[in-house]
Structures are given as C-alpha cells and as structure tokens.
Amino acid sequence: MTQDGSRAPRLTLVLGGARSGKSAYAERLIEALPPPWLYVATAEAWDDEMRARIVQHRARRPAGWETREAPRDLAGLLAGPATGRPVLVDCLTLWLTNVLLAELDLAAETATLVEACARHPGPLVLVSNEVGLGIVPDNALARRFRDEAGRLHQRLAALADRVVLTVAGLPLVVKGD
C-alpha cells in the first residue's frame, strides 16, 4: 500500500533516455510507500565521471534508504529473502553492460533475472535506459547492447503491472494506471 492508502503495483518498469528524470521519478514512486526502502545499485565506478554520478544519486536520497550493490548478480539479490519492502533497481542497462563486459552467458543471466523479477513479491521498481530511439550504432558491441536492452525491456514490460517512459522529466504511463 502507498502512504495514501492506494495499492502499489507489484512491478513497475521506468524507461527513459539519459538525464530524462527516470531515476528521480522511480525514487518518488518508492518513497510513496512505507519505508524501509532498498536501493539496488548496478553501477560500477570505473572513472571519475561515474563516481560523480553515484555521489549525486546518493545525495538525492533522504534517510531511510538502504543501498546494496549488485553489478552482476542482480537476480541473486532479488531472489533473496522476501521482506516485502519496496525495492528500486537502478539501472538495468548498467547491469546489462556489466554482464556483457564480463562475457557471461547473457541468455542465461537474462532469463534468471526475468524469473527473479517475476517471483519477487514487490513492490519492485526497475529503471533502465531506453537506447533504441537513436541512430544505429557503428560497431557490433554497441548494436548488440542496443538489441539486448530492447529484448530485456520487452520481456520485463510484459511482466510489469506498470510501464512508464520519462521524457524531459515528465512520466508518460505506457502500461497500467
């Protein structure tokens, strides 16, 4: 239940481009639910720019958030003991990048993640970059990443109770509500 007494969707997928407001929107969805809230971070701080982004995300979240890192074993974390607490995963495309660069079995990892999301009791909010709206990438790895992200989004959108696309800070409900 949300703090206003309405029922929260079990699974929400929030998509958007870079700096579209998707993470802040997802955080507001979770914060409308009673704490404690769990923030699952998939980013790895490989450089100063990514470290700065991580600091910015942490600074935006008020007290009441617990953060766990799951750069590759996201499914394992989601399949852990069900506490019923609100969970935000930010973000799936960083997870996908980590899995691709680690040269793991992407089909198996994706299937395991989708199954963990299907079994998760919720509320669960997943954030991901919509990367399929731009130009066709000029190299095979970038094209594979774009295609795999699109496939992952389709599978999770089929499971989701609500899908939201954020554009210029505005949430556009694509499915649900």
Side-chain angles (χ1 to χ4, degrees):
M1 289 288 180
T2 63
Q3 291 184 12
D4 70 3
S6 60
R7 184 167 167 82
R10 186 189 63 78
L11 177 59
T12 300
L13 176 61
V14 179
L15 301 169
R19 298 290 187 232
S20 65
K22 63 191 173 297
S23 294
Y25 174 75
E27 290 165 8
R28 289 192 303 272
L29 289 177
I30 293 292
E31 289 169 352
L33 302 169
W37 309 301
L38 177 59
Y39 185 98
V40 180
T42 62
E44 292 187 284
W46 294 105
D47 58 28
D48 289 340
E49 189 266 339
M50 185 54 85
R51 281 187 277 283
R53 283 177 182 253
I54 291 169
V55 166
Q56 179 187 33
H57 274 245
R58 284 182 180 154
R60 187 174 59 223
R61 292 192 302 274
W65 283 93
E66 175 189 352
T67 301
R68 292 193 197 160
E69 296 182 6
R72 280 174 291 288
D73 190 19
L74 180 55
L77 190 145
L78 293 176
T83 62
R85 67 196 286 195
V87 177
L88 185 150
V89 174
D90 197 357
C91 88
L92 295 176
T93 42
L94 285 173
W95 170 84
L96 181 63
T97 298
N98 297 337
V99 170
L100 280 169
L101 294 178
E103 298 181 355
L104 300 175
D105 180 341
L106 186 59
E109 294 291 326
T110 299
T112 303
L113 176 60
V114 170
E115 181 62 27
C117 290
R119 291 180 183 265
H120 194 274
L124 175 61
V125 177
L126 306 171
V127 175
S128 198
N129 290 286
E130 179 51 68
V131 296
L133 298 174
I135 61 171
V136 175
D138 69 347
N139 67 76
L141 179 59
R143 285 189 299 275
R144 180 177 182 212
F145 171 79
R146 178 211 50 199
D147 293 348
E148 295 296 345
R151 288 183 192 103
L152 177 62
H153 294 161
Q154 288 183 51
R155 290 179 72 181
L156 291 170
L159 287 177
D161 302 301
R162 176 174 49 193
V163 178
V164 178
L165 177 66
T166 56
V167 179
L170 302 173
L172 305 170
V173 177
V174 179
K175 176 183 177 182
D177 292 342

